Amino acid sequence: MFIYLNGLFVGLLILSNIISVKLFSIGEFILPAAAIVYVLTYLITDVIGEVYGKEAAMKTVRAGFITQVIALFFVFAAIHLPEAAVFGMQAEFEAILGGSFRVMFASLLAYIVSQHIDVSVFHQLKRKHGNKKLWLRNNLSTASSQLIDTGIFIVVAFVGTVPTNVLISMVVTQYVFKFIVAIVDTPFTYLFVAIARKEKNIQPYAPDVKVG
């Protein structure tokens, strides 16, 4: 289960970087397409932290960072490979993945800050409440880290490409969207934690408390 969770985590990260270049609207609200997948990565690290411990969650975060750096390198390389004569979409390819390059950089910066905050807040609350109140640490850690993530990501990824009022609207809208998703996905956090514990036949993770 741990391997599957890590695979899903990394896959969602790469996918969110690629699709973030598209903006979509819900009524008057504008969001990057990554909003529909990236928010799920916080659920995954919370599940990993709850079942396997803080160090396992931090290793997942570090693995995600390394994977994104590697992906960024290969995207850059692919853009600059000499195109074949039969390939008539170099401009479109560069426009999409070139935008993705900037989005990936913004994502890396937001990611490394917010994911560490998410894991740290989650386990501070876990040390305080033990194995109780999973819903509280899941929602509070996600809400605080997503606020930082959203601000950094939207500003770095889209400043200069959209009007300032649209930029502000995107930050507010995306954070509200993520906050709602964080609340809605709470039952799934409990479900995945239960599945992981059952499959691995382990006891609930004991918080990091020094004895003696």
Side-chain angles (χ1 to χ4, degrees), residues 14-212:
I14 300 301
L15 178 61
S16 66
N17 287 332
I18 294 172
I19 67 176
S20 285
V21 294
K22 176 172 180 177
L23 302 177
F24 71 97
S25 60
I26 301 177
E28 298 295 324
F29 302 109
I30 300 175
L31 297 117
I36 63 177
V37 294
Y38 183 68
V39 66
L40 299 179
T41 63
Y42 291 87
L43 181 154
I44 295 172
T45 51
D46 286 351
V47 172
I48 291 174
E50 180 69 17
V51 178
Y52 302 100
K54 180 178 180 179
E55 183 56 32
M58 292 304 296
K59 286 181 179 179
T60 298
V61 170
R62 290 193 290 269
F65 179 80
I66 293 170
T67 303
Q68 289 183 92
V69 171
I70 293 172
L72 189 63
F73 170 78
F74 281 109
V75 166
F76 182 81
I79 289 174
H80 290 86
L81 286 173
E83 67 271 21
V86 296
F87 183 67
M89 296 184 294
Q90 176 63 24
E92 292 84 354
F93 184 82
E94 188 170 344
I96 295 298
L97 290 185
S100 182
F101 181 85
R102 177 176 176 177
V103 167
M104 282 187 178
F105 175 77
S107 178
L108 280 175
L109 183 59
Y111 170 88
I112 200 65
V113 175
S114 65
Q115 290 283 1
H116 278 79
I117 290 174
D118 179 66
V119 174
S120 297
V121 172
F122 185 91
H123 285 276
Q124 285 175 5
L125 292 171
K126 188 169 181 64
R127 282 192 293 271
K128 181 177 181 180
H129 300 292
N131 292 313
K132 300 178 181 179
K133 299 183 179 180
L134 171 58
W135 62 270
L136 180 64
R137 55 183 172 273
N138 173 51
N139 287 314
L140 284 183
S141 63
T142 300
S144 57
S145 57
Q146 284 283 19
L147 179 60
I148 296 172
D149 176 85
T150 302
I152 295 175
F153 175 74
I154 293 295
V155 171
V156 175
F158 298 106
V159 68
T161 66
V162 296
T164 302
N165 63 318
V166 174
L167 200 69
I168 295 173
S169 176
M170 288 172 63
V171 171
V172 174
T173 302
Q174 188 175 17
Y175 180 69
V176 171
F177 176 84
K178 290 177 178 178
F179 184 78
I180 293 172
V181 172
I183 295 175
V184 172
D185 71 18
T186 301
F188 294 98
T189 304
Y190 277 89
L191 175 63
F192 292 147
V193 165
I195 292 173
R197 283 176 174 162
K198 183 178 179 180
E199 284 198 1
K200 294 300 180 181
N201 192 27
I202 64 174
Q203 296 301 315
Y205 164 66
D208 302 327
V209 178
K210 293 183 178 180
V211 179

